[in-house]
Amino acid sequence: MAAAAGKKTNWFAIWISVGVVAVLVVAAVAVVWINSSATSAGPAPESDIVNAETGAVSVGEGEDVVATYIDFMCPICNQFEQIYGETLAGLVDDGSITLDYHPVAILDRYSQGTDYSTRAANALYCVAESSPEAVSPFVQAMYENQPAEGSAGLTDEQIIDIAETAGATGIDACVTERTYDRFVAAMTREMPADENGGRGTPTVVVDGERIQLTGDPQADIVARLG
């Protein structure tokens, strides 16, 4: 009898083991899913002027491409807009360039926990999706109303008001629900680094070449075209 009992299959132990393995597999899948969700770009804006792979918001149809990586909390980006903005707008208007805005968020830590850089970049994508013609006026108006670095930044309602003044419509839910936050984060991770591996704003790339800004739009940009 003892020998016969010894040959019995312990199905209870087997099923417990199978259950443990299944739990471990589920846990592993959950970890992979969580990690993937954390780094996923999320949905891209559905707009003819937004490149879903690079995050560029394109204005103009010129052969030469000037790409600007900007953070709406960045005071130097505001200076860049004041010094270079008129020249860039003229080059767009006369068909010389396509101006690619890349809204990024590297200064969220300077907005008292409100993630202002991300919220503002998200808003630009909202404007690009709903009212492409309002993109450049919105960028200009955001810098005209730029909050101080280290402040809480503008509220969603203030951003919406600025966008509507610039000519955008129908962006309220997109802004308040922060529809493109993950897309902003993903595109920020992809922005080009300098020779030391650092990333900062503004970063300007002319026809694929990152340039050093000297404060002279003619030398820095116009002379490099064509």
Side-chain angles (χ1 to χ4, degrees), residues 16 23 50 75 107:
I16 288 294
V23 169
V50 176
L107 297 177

Side-chain angles (χ1 to χ4, degrees), residues 211-226:
I211 66 169
Q212 294 295 321
L213 299 173
T214 68
D216 184 345
Q218 293 296 317
D220 293 348
I221 295 175
V222 178
R224 299 172 185 269
L225 303 180

